[in-house]
Amino acid sequence: MRDSGLGVGVDVGVCQDEASHSPVWGPLRTPPVTCGGLSLALELPALIRQLRAAWRARRGGPRESERSEASRWVEAEKEEVEEGKQDIEDRSTHLEADGRLNAGHAGVLLAERRGSYPLIDLHILKTSAQQGEVESGTRRKVKRLLSFQRYCHASRLLRGLVPHTPGSLHLLDDDYLGQAGHMLSKVGTWNFDIFLFDRLTNGNSLVTLMCHLFNVYGLIHHFQLDMVKLHRFLGMVQEDYHSQNPYHNAVHAADVTQAMYCYLKEPKLAEQLSPLDVFLGLMAAASHDVDHPGVNQPFLIKTRHHLASLYQNTSVLERHHWRSTVGMLRESGLLSHLPQWKSIYPIITYRGTYSIFSLTPPRQDMEQQLGSLILATDISRQNEFLLTFREHLDNQDLDLQLASHRHFMLQIALKCADICNPCRAWELSRQWSERVCEEFYRQGDLERKFDLEISPMCNQQADSVPANQIGFISYIVEPLFEEWYRFTEPSLLSQTMMGHLHKNKACWSRLRYAQTSLETQTHPQIDKLEPEGEGEEGESVP
């Protein structure tokens, strides 16, 4: 018989004469096979001597010919190992392209493999300064993993000393010290500085924020979540964002999550939301761009990337974010205690005065609803959602006691949170604008390098930051937030956001005019331009 588990493709069995003449097990004999040039049909002492001789030959024997032969043997072994590794990688790539990778149950929804970072040549971007940033990021990551707080954190878990007092912040108690804790007390304010919060939490802004919000809403108790599994899942999500992306990184995910929290607190929406709605809204906000490659969908299609083939050029990135999230949910086992199929789940609904509360749905339903929210962030579907939202407001037929209408409003809220940067205060908005344009320009450099058509807003020589932002605000942000303003009737938060939006658009217009007027000068004097009404808090434009 052939034992495929050996991995060397050798025939192992009992000799024919032994099998035919011995009705019972006879003396143990070594089958006549070879392995690595050594005969295994030997008595044990002879086999040991042969192994010793082969070992001396590898390490270099007394004769030069033996040393050279050993060197050739070692080199051949290295080549076989490298070929084996390449073969495994090729098989994994084909499996992923076929969509057969599944981190959990082989049901309707397949989970994307975590960390399948698109194979994009970024060597052109590695200038000396950027290499310094990568090294600095590595040092920060090592420091974060080896920090004393995390050590104390883990040791308390292993000793079973996790606090369970009312209002406890559980795993993050040791991290809620000083200024970070003070900032979390104001996490529901619109001027929340996510960049400062990320520095104060040592790069753990997403995990810290999500654990805090889960405690604020009581989601851990409501869904009976295991805190170790929750922390593991959130750690996976945070680590699967690529810190080398100027914009689509974990800080952006934390910023979107904080904005989503502000929108969930809007009085017209908060009165109707169930714990499940809040859970899905926060989870979708935290994971909506996970494993983002730093390039857009047209780039993946033009370069015939395997993700574009897998998802047939439709919502490529959003589908990848969704399936990656599902893979991490199943790998961490966060929802493993919930029923998986609808057939074993009793549909029971409790109608309250202001809202509808229902029991937790099956895992499959939760995964599908999570995907529906993440897919709504596809910018190519902007007009589709905007027209539907406008029709509901015109007809005044939104009934938030209906689960389908609440889900639609969660989609709209997530879309607003994803593109809310122009509605922030100038200093925060300007930083996000510069970051997203830097990421666009990197893609444009790659397209120029490979003689591809440069995508809109990605040509650094033709598309300035002010021009990009004015177009983005005019055609994408303003139409959506005007309808959100109508929906909130309007709330104080909506008034604040629209005020920032108009001031920031005016500032970008002045900057664009200044650049056009002074483009022939080496150092245009535009550092005194700032939005009107910012007062002392307004930052000057560098």
Side-chain angles (χ1 to χ4, degrees), residues 29 78 85 102 124 166 197 212 226 254 263 295 332 378 436 447 509 523:
R29 297 183 182 180
K78 289 182 178 179
K85 289 182 179 179
N102 190 354
I124 188 175
F197 184 70
H212 174 73
D226 186 302
Y263 298 155
V295 293
S332 65
D378 185 354
V436 72
E447 291 169 333
S509 298
H523 301 287

Side-chain angles (χ1 to χ4, degrees), residues 297 311 313-320 375 378 380-381:
Q297 175 175 294
Y311 298 116
N313 301 339
T314 304
S315 298
V316 175
L317 288 172
E318 290 74 25
R319 290 171 184 248
H320 176 60
L375 290 176
D378 185 354
S380 65
R381 301 180 63 192

